[in-house]
Amino acid sequence: MIRIQDLNKISEYEWEIPRSYRQDMRVAVRLFVTRRLLEAALQDLSIEQAINAATLPGVVEPVVVMPDMHQGYGFPIGGVAATRYPSGVISPGAIGYDINCGVRLLASTIPLEAAEERLDDLANALNQYCPSGVGSEGSIHLTTAELDAVCRQGARWALKKGMASEEDLHRTEEGGCLQGADPGKVSQRAKQRGMLQLGTLGAGNHFIEVDVVDQIFDGEAAAAMGLQEGMLTLMIHCGSRGFGHQICTDYVQDLQSAVKRYGIQLPDRELVCAPLDSPEGQNYLAAMRSAANYAFCNRQILAHHARRAFEEVFAGSGLRWQLHQVYDIAHNMGKVETHDVNGRKMKVCVHRKGATRAFGPGNPELPDVYKPIGQPVLVPGSMGTASWVLVGTEDSMARSWGSTCHGAGRVLSRHKAKKDFRGERLRNDLEHSGIHVRAGSMSGLAEEAPMAYKDVDEVVETVNGAGIARKVARLRPVIVIKG
């Protein structure tokens, strides 16, 4: 097992595991973490998994790990690895089972004090319009042809159905649609699961929250996003549901033979992969993009339903119920991007697993309104804790593959959390603190207890101190909807 003395300390917020640490490493591993968070990370296998990722064929220096890191399937949650395109590999485990799990933030001009008497009604309306829970079905039941269209069109499918605006798509990563999706590379089992779940929240760490803008740190960036102190916002955290999970399951199994076929040596079979330019790699990439587009569409439909809830509760109150989209970002994705590597442009496949794209100011992929400030980064907390809005920086482009943290990161397993906490007690404590809670099950609520996660404020302070993101605003929850 690796020890702290095996790492090189670069700064209070940055450490490095040199390539020489292990003979099979192709590149170094860089960790954006404080000593306290590093000591906590050494209690699981997340750092060992990052070292294993540094052995992948075609990997480009460095593998990066964020302060919210914790152990995942083969690859740490909070990890980022770039491989040469098209000669490197793509690994489903380095992207994750919940493909394009991500966050969407919408903002209002409704002051908290003017809305407080209606928050219970709003919680009920959101819970009614936005189905949640394991295996939950939405109001939209797709045919196979319609599901294929969602896979190809992403959030634009919702636009055609009257559930989105062009402005929504403009303020979504990749415009809400990854090119190159091919539903023909998706199994029938995955399609069966996806046809019934569009427009649903799911369970686990997914949620819908109404927050209040608690504190603003960057007035210019907040103004560009339409965030005002004391006003309500709405955050949606979910992904591609059973559709994406099944796609990952299918390809983790299918690619086992590809590893042998292409003579790839791996320290952990959970890092199963295939060359990007192989038929197997191209098939997975096309299927993953299908799941990513499904997730963009899913969050768009949930946003539409949330707007219905706001209209129902606030129409006729004299308050402007309209919600404008701030941004929508992905946490689990494999993206072909061009980055500066040793002074020259290089096309790479960036695997982000539990990490947020955080492009800096001036990037041509950003909407014009955000080019002066950098890409909005949305960092959700866990029910009773704050969420954050950050922006990407020039340093994130130079040092972390245009990436930063995605959340707080677990410190307790779901099993341990259920053993340590009672859902009823947790709900009562949250309600007593002024947070209106709607939960599908008390055991599910206990799994996501705030105490099961790291301190999100400390995680954000780390990436802010390291320079790979900059604070804009802190959000405080007043309503939480959990599956």
Side-chain angles (χ1 to χ4, degrees):
M1 292 289 289
I2 192 165
R3 305 161 299 169
I4 283 184
Q5 50 264 45
D6 296 320
L7 281 73
N8 298 328
K9 183 177 180 180
I10 298 172
S11 72
E12 292 299 316
Y13 303 107
E14 191 173 350
W15 302 66
E16 186 174 83
I17 304 168
R19 181 179 174 182
S20 59
Y21 170 73
R22 212 170 76 186
Q23 191 173 3
D24 58 347
M25 289 175 67
R26 300 174 191 264
V27 298
V29 174
R30 186 170 301 153
L31 301 96
F32 291 98
V33 67
T34 61
R35 185 182 180 94
R36 196 181 84 82
L37 290 172
L38 176 59
E39 289 171 349
L42 289 168
Q43 303 306 307
D44 66 19
L45 296 178
S46 54
I47 296 178
E48 292 290 337
Q49 290 181 329
I51 293 167
N52 290 341
T55 72
L56 287 170
V59 67
V60 181
E61 183 117 32
V63 169
V64 172
V65 190
M66 299 300 166
D68 51 335
M69 75 181 89
H70 55 287
Q71 184 176 332
Y73 181 86
F75 189 92
I77 297 164
V80 182
T83 56
R84 294 177 184 272
Y85 185 86
S87 59
V89 297
I90 188 165
S91 171
I95 290 163
Y97 277 84
D98 191 4
I99 297 166
N100 190 5
C101 173
V103 178
R104 178 172 296 222
L105 180 66
L106 300 103
S108 81
T109 56
I110 301 173
L112 173 61
E113 61 268 22
E116 281 183 310
E117 292 184 357
R118 299 172 183 259
L119 291 182
D120 210 53
D121 291 339
L122 182 58
N124 289 336
L126 287 167
N127 198 40
Q128 174 188 346
Y129 286 132
C130 302
S132 63
V134 176
S136 56
E137 294 183 11
S139 59
I140 301 170
H141 288 187
L142 302 170
T143 65
T144 300
E146 287 171 330
L147 176 62
D148 288 354
V150 170
C151 290
R152 293 191 179 95
Q153 298 168 18
R156 190 157 291 278
W157 185 88
L159 177 71
K160 293 178 179 179
K161 299 296 182 179
M163 292 182 283
S165 69
E166 287 287 358
E167 182 71 7
D168 290 341
L169 272 58
H170 192 55
R171 294 188 178 210
T172 299
E173 183 174 337
E174 296 292 335
C177 181
L178 285 177
Q179 299 302 310
D182 183 354
K185 306 303 179 183
V186 176
S187 72
Q188 282 304 118
R189 173 63 182 139
K191 289 184 177 183
Q192 287 169 1
R193 297 181 70 179
M195 284 192 287
L196 301 178
Q197 292 188 330
L198 193 66
T200 66
L201 187 62
N205 65 336
H206 295 163
F207 63 72
I208 292 177
E209 274 190 4
V210 177
D211 301 287
V212 60
V213 181
D214 195 45
Q215 194 173 359
I216 287 177
F217 294 83
D218 185 324
E220 178 190 359
M225 298 180 200
L227 297 174
Q228 302 177 52
E229 195 166 327
M231 303 298 177
L232 297 184
T233 62
L234 182 111
M235 183 175 280
I236 301 169
H237 180 199
C238 69
S240 50
R241 305 288 279 111
F243 182 63
H245 194 282
Q246 189 64 48
I247 287 171
C248 185
T249 299
D250 292 339
Y251 278 92
V252 163
Q253 181 177 345
D254 291 351
L255 295 188
Q256 298 293 341
S257 58
V259 170
K260 298 175 184 176
R261 189 175 304 116
Y262 296 106
I264 298 171
Q265 300 295 317
L266 295 173
D268 182 351
R269 68 186 299 272
E270 291 184 355
L271 270 179
V272 61
C273 58
L276 278 155
D277 56 3
S278 69
E280 298 89 343
Q282 287 294 302
N283 288 348
Y284 170 68
L285 198 56
M288 182 216 69
R289 288 166 172 163
S290 297
N293 289 343
Y294 183 98
F296 281 133
C297 190
N298 190 37
R299 289 196 293 276
Q300 181 63 58
I301 293 170
L302 285 168
H304 170 72
H305 291 328
R307 283 167 165 152
R308 287 174 61 200
F310 266 72
E311 181 179 13
E312 179 178 290
V313 172
F314 292 111
S317 68
L319 299 169
R320 294 187 72 251
W321 58 265
Q322 290 84 357
L323 295 169
H324 75 267
Q325 182 151 313
V326 175
Y327 207 59
D328 181 292
I329 50 93
H331 288 160
N332 291 356
M333 194 87 89
K335 300 277 290 292
V336 177
E337 298 171 356
T338 300
H339 286 265
D340 286 322
V341 179
N342 297 324
R344 63 188 183 89
K345 301 285 187 184
M346 179 184 291
K347 190 173 280 191
V348 292
C349 180
V350 182
H351 299 67
R352 296 185 180 95
K353 181 179 179 180
T356 306
R357 193 187 77 169
F359 283 179
N363 193 289
E365 293 196 32
L366 299 182
D368 289 344
V369 67
Y370 294 144
K371 283 177 182 173
I373 62 170
Q375 179 205 304
V377 171
L378 313 173
V379 183
S382 176
M383 291 193 292
T385 64
S387 295
W388 284 85
V389 181
L390 316 174
V391 284
T393 64
E394 292 179 359
D395 270 0
S396 66
M397 300 304 296
R399 295 160 52 209
S400 60
W401 301 108
S403 312
T404 195
C405 66
H406 91 300
R410 296 194 75 95
V411 291
L412 297 180
S413 69
R414 288 186 165 85
H415 176 76
K416 183 73 163 60
K418 280 200 292 187
K419 186 177 179 181
D420 288 359
F421 308 112
R422 300 272 72 82
E424 295 86 350
R425 174 67 183 273
L426 177 59
R427 181 180 62 185
N428 290 340
D429 288 347
L430 291 169
E431 293 273 1
H432 187 71
S433 68
I435 301 172
H436 300 255
V437 179
R438 300 292 182 272
S441 74
M442 290 301 102
S443 62
L445 198 67
E447 289 179 0
E448 298 304 313
M451 299 73 77
Y453 285 83
K454 299 175 186 179
D455 181 349
V456 69
D457 292 344
E458 184 177 3
V459 169
V460 166
E461 186 56 49
T462 301
V463 296
N464 183 79
I468 58 170
R470 191 175 75 254
K471 293 179 182 179
V472 175
R474 187 177 190 267
L475 312 179
R476 174 172 58 84
V478 294
I479 294 175
V480 175
I481 312 295
K482 299 286 283 190

